[in-house]
Amino acid sequence: MTDTDTITTRTASAATKPAPAPPATRRVRALALLALVSSAGVAGLGLVWLFAPALNPFAAVEMRSVASALLGATPVAVIAIAAGGAGVLLTLAVLPRGSMAAHPRLTGGGAAAIALALGFSLGSTTAIAYTGYLFGLASVVAGAVTIAVMLVRAPRLGIALLAGVIALAAASVWLAGLTLDGIAGFAEKLTSTLIADLPNLLLAIVSVAATASWIALAIIALRGRPAGHRFEGWLVRHRRALTILAALGPVPYAIARASWLTPWPLFAPSASDLPADVLATGIMIGSGAVAAIILTLGLILPWGRVVPAWIPRIGGRPVPVLAAAVPGFTAAGVLCISAGSMLVTVAGDPTALMDTLIMALVLPLWYWGPMLALAVWAYTAWRSRESAIDHPGR
């Protein structure tokens, strides 16, 4: 065989190989796979609850969704089977192509309907409660690591932040009465509660994964339509205002928890009657609320686009869009599916109208969740358009 024949054979062989899927297609397939697995899990749980009602957690008062409060535990099982089964069928139609462009209206509408059904039937306060505890704890650890790195890489800023943390710790100990025993008590209670409530925690993870993946697929389908392009353009033009509005969501809760460091704690016993472990819990979750404000504002600040130079190894590189989109949309999903159940739980007592109103204002999940979703969507659309301008051939 001549060299020319060899080159021709290799060229023909390469031509027969399928071209690698573009990144956007791979992301859709990954989302569809997550939706498939989580939807199958939801349908399986619904079948178990239908034939073994004693295992249905929504039959208990402690676990309530909007559907269980309005309809009862058995309809929750039926809706879970229907929504999960519809999700499996829809993902089997999306996965082979890896694209939602063939029938965007049907696919997008179906994805949105499944997300709403899942939130209506499975959304509970368990998701937001454990997310708050774990995110607050992670925020404290991440803050300590960040200050330690800054003291070496950006000393001026690191020293200023360290001084602020020392002042906060002093106020917590001397004014509010925080103790090491209180911190240990918080850690012990959180660990024991996570272990004891592991089945409900796993249910919350599955429901959040399913709901968030279907919300993302619905957004992708909408982006493929002219109306979606126009809406995205509006989001990009108003992304700063949307992000600031989203960052206001956790502000009332952060203020309420900050008041626990004073002699006048809001929504808590008097300062002298506030147990040390409860104080530690409030400070931890309040820290998470502050971190949520900072991270949300990062969607419009320079370090939300380029990694700060003081961070080792990756400083100066562009921030991957998925690094903001995945946690952002997941957080929005947690907030959205928890909003209705929280209001239903608080409003269970007809005489608790004032408590319901206070809860809706102090922890406005009904506002925070949708606004955060819009802010993250605006960020992803802005970064995508920016990338298209920088790399027009891609």
Side-chain angles (χ1 to χ4, degrees):
M1 180 181 293
T2 65
D3 292 342
T4 303
D5 293 336
T6 302
I7 294 174
T8 303
T9 303
R10 290 178 179 175
T11 304
S13 176
T16 59
K17 293 181 180 179
T25 301
R26 291 197 296 269
R27 286 195 291 268
V28 172
R29 286 178 177 170
L31 271 174
L33 183 60
L34 176 61
L36 173 64
V37 174
S38 55
S39 297
V42 168
L45 288 172
L47 287 171
V48 171
W49 298 339
L50 189 62
F51 293 103
L55 298 178
N56 190 339
F58 291 98
V61 178
E62 295 81 9
M63 190 81 163
R64 301 185 75 183
S65 66
V66 177
S68 67
L70 298 179
L71 305 175
T74 301
V76 170
V78 174
I79 297 173
I81 295 171
V88 170
L89 294 176
L90 190 54
T91 46
L92 290 177
V94 173
L95 267 175
R97 290 188 294 271
S99 171
M100 306 183 72
H103 304 286
R105 180 177 298 178
L106 176 62
T107 310
I114 292 170
L116 288 173
L118 291 172
F120 176 73
S121 59
L122 302 182
S124 70
T125 55
T126 300
I128 189 62
Y130 284 129
T131 299
Y133 291 138
L134 296 175
F135 183 72
L137 181 60
S139 300
V140 172
V141 174
V145 173
T146 299
I147 292 175
V149 174
M150 279 186 169
L151 288 173
V152 177
R153 308 272 299 189
R156 291 184 179 179
L157 184 56
I159 291 173
L161 289 177
L162 181 60
V165 170
I166 292 174
L168 180 63
S172 301
V173 173
W174 291 325
L175 296 181
L178 182 65
T179 63
L180 290 177
D181 289 339
I183 297 175
F186 160 75
E188 182 181 353
K189 285 186 178 181
L190 177 60
T191 302
S192 60
T193 303
L194 286 174
I195 295 174
D197 207 27
L198 185 59
N200 290 337
L201 178 60
L202 294 176
L203 169 60
I205 292 173
V206 171
S207 61
V208 168
T211 305
S213 60
W214 282 116
I215 290 174
L217 288 172
I219 290 175
I220 291 172
L222 178 60
R223 293 180 67 180
R225 296 181 54 79
H229 285 295
R230 291 193 295 270
F231 183 64
E232 274 202 344
W234 183 87
L235 289 176
V236 172
R237 290 193 300 272
H238 298 87
R239 65 184 186 86
R240 294 184 180 277
L242 290 170
T243 302
I244 293 172
L245 289 173
L248 292 176
V251 167
Y253 191 84
I255 293 175
R257 289 298 175 257
S259 72
W260 287 22
L261 303 179
T262 72
W264 310 278
L266 297 175
F267 313 111
S270 63
S272 58
D273 297 331
L274 194 61
D277 60 333
V278 175
L279 174 62
T281 303
I283 293 176
M284 195 73 63
I285 302 178
S287 300
V290 174
I293 297 170
I294 295 172
L295 291 175
T296 302
L297 291 175
L299 298 173
I300 57 174
L301 294 175
W303 54 266
R305 181 177 176 273
V306 179
V307 179
W310 55 265
I311 297 182
R313 294 183 180 274
I314 60 174
R317 297 182 183 180
V319 175
V321 175
L322 291 181
V326 172
F329 281 126
T330 301
V334 171
L335 295 168
C336 288
I337 70 171
S338 303
S341 61
M342 176 169 285
L343 292 179
V344 166
T345 300
V346 177
D349 182 1
T351 63
L353 179 60
M354 185 56 66
D355 291 340
T356 304
L357 180 60
I358 292 174
M359 180 62 70
L361 295 177
V362 174
L363 195 58
L365 306 184
W366 54 272
Y367 161 86
W368 185 9
M371 196 60 66
L372 179 60
L374 290 176
V376 177
W377 188 355
Y379 172 85
T380 58
W382 168 61
R383 291 293 304 277
S384 297
R385 295 185 178 201
E386 184 182 54
S387 178
I389 293 174
D390 294 339
H391 307 283
R394 293 186 180 181

